[in-house]
Amino acid sequence: FFFLSALDRRTCKPPLLATMVLAADYDMLHPPADLEKRKHKLKRLVQSPNSFFMDVKCQGCFNITTVFSHSQTVVLCGSCSAVLCQPTGGRARLTEGCSFRRKGD
């Protein structure tokens, strides 16, 4: 009875908790990049912002405009006045069909 209670009764496999990787199971001096990206920007090993600048290509005239990723205003294309992105509570939402490239350092 004790053996069956330690296993999942339907699949006869160990419970999910036994197979999960705990947060302390990695080298804290060299954490994986995906775990660091999920952390708050101030609690990372090296603090880094979540925001960035990006080049957005207009879907109508193919003009390139530089836009902040967390912009709080509607960004229009300079030549055709099409809406490139709209603000949300966090990151700006790109208009459907617009392509972007993250600007380098």
Side-chain angles (χ1 to χ4, degrees), residues 24-40:
D25 284 347
Y26 61 88
D27 186 8
M28 294 183 77
L29 288 177
H30 307 286
D34 58 337
L35 288 178
E36 280 292 299
K37 197 63 182 164
R38 286 188 299 180
K39 286 186 180 179
H40 188 269

Side-chain angles (χ1 to χ4, degrees), residues 2-57:
F2 176 74
F3 180 73
L4 286 178
S5 65
L7 298 175
D8 186 9
R9 290 192 175 106
R10 284 174 271 145
T11 59
C12 291
K13 292 183 179 177
L16 183 61
L17 295 175
T19 59
M20 282 181 30
V21 176
L22 299 176
D25 284 347
Y26 61 88
D27 186 8
M28 294 183 77
L29 288 177
H30 307 286
D34 58 337
L35 288 178
E36 280 292 299
K37 197 63 182 164
R38 286 188 299 180
K39 286 186 180 179
H40 188 269
K41 63 182 179 179
L42 297 178
K43 294 188 178 184
R44 295 181 185 140
L45 191 60
V46 177
Q47 296 179 4
S48 61
N50 294 327
S51 58
F52 53 92
F53 287 95
M54 55 186 172
D55 287 332
V56 178
K57 187 187 290 185

Side-chain angles (χ1 to χ4, degrees), residues 7 66 73:
L7 298 175
T66 301
T73 60

Side-chain angles (χ1 to χ4, degrees), residues 67-75 85-93:
V67 178
F68 186 58
S69 64
H70 290 67
S71 66
Q72 297 179 349
T73 60
V74 175
V75 179
C85 67
Q86 295 179 343
T88 61
R91 286 201 176 150
R93 181 179 295 127

